[in-house]
Amino acid sequence: MPNAFNFSASPFDCLTQEQQRLVRDHVDLVYFQAGETVLELGAAPDHLYVVIQGRVTQLDGDEVVASFGPDDSFDGRALVAGKSSSRFLAEEEVVAYALARQTVKDLIAANATFGALLFSDLGAKLAAASQRESGSELQSLSLSRVDEAFVRPAHIVDASTDVVSVVRLFQQERTTNVLVRDSAGEPGRLGMFTTNALQRAILLGRPLEQVQVGELANWSLVRVRPSDQVGDALATMLRHHIHRVVVQEGEQVLGVLEALDVFSFLSNHSMLIGLRIDAATDIDELAEAAHQITEMIGRQYRSGTRVMLIARLVQDLNARLFERAWRFIAPAELVANSCLIVMGSEGRGEQLLKTDQDNALILRGGYQPPANLAEICERFSEALARFGYPPCPGKVMLNNPAWRASTGDWARTVRQWLLMPDAASLMNLAIFLDAHAVAGDAALLDEVRDALWTLTTDNDAMLARFAAAIDAFGGAGGWWNRLLGDGAARINLKKEGIFALVHGVRSLALAHRLRETATTARVDALVAAGALSATMGSDLRDALQWLLSIRLKAGLAELERGETVSGEVDPAALSTLERDLLKDALDVVKRFKVLLRQRFRLNSI
């Protein structure tokens, strides 16, 4: 029987041939009757168990905190710690492998990845999994350092250099740009002169020998560090609508990274999609570009790009898509006197595959909108539906009069949400807290936000009712069994973990009056403010990353089968490692909810 040991299951799939032989030489078969205790609380375990048949339940008091089925191992952490912190009970007849403690320690000493996957926390497991698969899908070129890409040498000229001399340098060095140094002021500054600036120089109508490049240089350079990832550099270019960035370490300029050079590293073509959005002449062409975003997401995920970077790229592309559509549909005067905002996962920068529309319109105070404003907003909502974003069931869309108003009316609405916090008002407040401006005058959103923070008070009762929504989808006590049970039901990750994590962080951010909207940015700010420990902050970031990643994988699989994206995960489709990471991520959410209940005294509501 030991010869049949499954070395394709985590964490044993990272062992070498020699290490596998060590397992075979020191593994035994054990049997437990239904109801028999496998490992008692506080006991010092002598073996690592790997279930072959049956199921073992992990109990914390009377609460089931985990369940282990075929190919699952336990309790690695107790083996290293020297005693068990839980009780393990055979839920039914169990046949298992028992691997001696000394053998496990020898494997940990010889294979760091095995040790990390066996007993480390979620972050260490994710890092170990990433390192282990560095030779396959997770070795995406988007994870490469900038200085590993083709960084072009920087050609630096003085600001007084004439345009003709620079054009000669263009031809000689086969480049389209030079860096321009202006040492006249204190401190000196560095800019860039490109072929686009050359066009402006020609249009000046002056002899080019008399035009200094400093007159036309762009002095607002965007910089990246050589240690930054290529994917992050691309996201920076997308965000600033530029085609090159300066690579700089401290005061030392190392070169220039061109967008065209990044294309050879990345297969997502996000820059090309952005260019197509900018070049679109009507809604039909925007719709074609919108459908390419989903294809980009699939390529990025399969190439190993981390999910939060994909979300950043998607947020930037969607913002450009929505802005372009709004400008096609709305009159210029309306665009200038309004602010189009997106909310929900799109506002937080955490949307991946297309979900319901969540948007609104803020009008400048005193501005009289067009008489056909309702028609304009309806056309915009219809355009988004063409792009693949279905209408919001709760009508949180600007074609709903309740979600378009002047800054003054928005301020009064926010006041009502705060002072009369019924369930609907608190949910609307949660939606609005994630708002992100995508078109028009972003200062209008800031104006309403300022009113929100002015009205916010240290109202513990209101904050508690707001935070209590973490239990909106019920408790998670039964998901362990659903995760590993025979014929297990599909798991809705938003209901089981993502919503509680996101809303819990949002609640803490509201309590501390933090203006960040992205969940990870809120976590960072909460850690900096001392509202969360660094360990909990790291665990929350890792848990969100994994929950979004595994949901994206399931959604892409549904699209490939021609099905509608459900947001659910089939436990039977998960590998042993994926299931283990999912358990750890949901356990982080569970611990976070305990912290929230204590912070907001939710048990007394």
Side-chain angles (χ1 to χ4, degrees), residues 137-140 142-143 299-307 310:
E137 285 190 341
L138 291 184
Q139 185 56 29
S140 165
S142 66
L143 302 180
R299 284 193 296 268
Q300 276 281 53
Y301 179 79
R302 286 188 290 271
S303 69
T305 303
R306 67 186 191 275
V307 71
I310 299 175

Side-chain angles (χ1 to χ4, degrees), residues 141-266:
L141 289 174
S142 66
L143 302 180
S144 299
R145 289 166 53 107
V146 164
D147 57 6
E148 294 174 345
F150 179 41
V151 178
R152 296 178 181 268
H155 304 286
I156 303 178
V157 301
D158 190 79
S160 62
T161 306
D162 67 271
V163 170
V164 173
S165 298
V166 170
V167 171
R168 291 194 184 103
L169 184 61
F170 280 176
Q171 186 176 28
Q172 178 184 339
E173 300 295 338
R174 294 186 177 182
T175 185
T176 59
N177 64 84
V178 294
L179 296 181
V180 182
R181 191 183 302 279
D182 182 6
S183 304
E186 285 294 336
R189 55 179 181 166
L190 192 67
M192 181 177 288
F193 182 89
T194 68
T195 51
N196 287 335
L198 175 60
Q199 297 175 25
R200 298 200 306 273
I202 295 172
L203 293 174
L204 288 176
R206 293 158 48 193
L208 296 182
E209 295 89 347
Q210 300 176 14
V211 178
Q212 298 181 355
V213 293
E215 298 177 39
L216 298 167
N218 172 20
W219 299 103
S220 301
L221 293 184
V222 177
R223 297 170 170 84
V224 298
R225 295 171 300 178
S227 59
D228 290 341
Q229 294 179 354
V230 171
D232 287 328
L234 176 63
T236 298
M237 294 185 208
L238 277 169
R239 187 165 60 253
H240 292 280
H241 294 198
I242 57 178
H243 301 287
R244 56 186 64 85
V245 290
V246 175
V247 182
Q248 188 169 340
E249 185 73 71
E251 296 299 320
Q252 183 183 5
V253 175
L254 302 178
V256 177
L257 182 66
E258 300 264 6
L260 290 176
D261 297 325
V262 176
F263 290 160
S264 65
F265 275 75
L266 301 172

Side-chain angles (χ1 to χ4, degrees), residues 212-391:
Q212 298 181 355
V213 293
E215 298 177 39
L216 298 167
N218 172 20
W219 299 103
S220 301
L221 293 184
V222 177
R223 297 170 170 84
V224 298
R225 295 171 300 178
S227 59
D228 290 341
Q229 294 179 354
V230 171
D232 287 328
L234 176 63
T236 298
M237 294 185 208
L238 277 169
R239 187 165 60 253
H240 292 280
H241 294 198
I242 57 178
H243 301 287
R244 56 186 64 85
V245 290
V246 175
V247 182
Q248 188 169 340
E249 185 73 71
E251 296 299 320
Q252 183 183 5
V253 175
L254 302 178
V256 177
L257 182 66
E258 300 264 6
L260 290 176
D261 297 325
V262 176
F263 290 160
S264 65
F265 275 75
L266 301 172
S267 61
N268 64 74
H269 300 300
S270 56
M271 182 71 79
L272 294 177
I273 297 174
L275 293 175
R276 186 166 186 175
I277 290 172
D278 292 342
T281 58
D282 54 33
I283 295 297
D284 291 339
E285 292 182 4
L286 284 180
E288 294 176 4
H291 295 312
Q292 291 182 340
I293 295 177
T294 300
E295 298 173 4
M296 179 208 77
I297 293 171
R299 284 193 296 268
Q300 276 281 53
Y301 179 79
R302 286 188 290 271
S303 69
T305 303
R306 67 186 191 275
V307 71
M308 297 312 294
L309 174 55
I310 299 175
R312 272 185 59 191
L313 294 173
V314 171
Q315 183 186 40
D316 290 336
L317 289 173
N318 282 346
R320 295 168 73 172
L321 180 71
F322 296 166
E323 178 186 28
R324 193 81 171 140
W326 183 238
R327 289 186 180 277
F328 279 147
I329 294 171
E333 185 182 12
L334 174 58
V335 173
N337 287 280
S338 67
C339 179
L340 175 65
I341 61 175
V342 293
M343 297 167 289
S345 58
E346 180 67 50
R348 296 191 304 273
E350 294 159 14
Q351 184 180 88
L352 293 159
L353 300 178
K354 294 181 176 70
T355 56
D356 300 340
Q357 298 181 36
D358 281 314
N359 49 60
L361 188 66
I362 303 173
L363 300 169
R364 191 183 308 279
Y367 168 68
Q368 183 63 40
N372 64 336
L373 178 62
E375 178 188 347
I376 293 170
C377 293
E378 185 63 40
R379 288 172 56 200
F380 180 78
S381 297
E382 290 173 355
L384 263 57
R386 285 193 58 192
F387 298 163
Y389 298 90

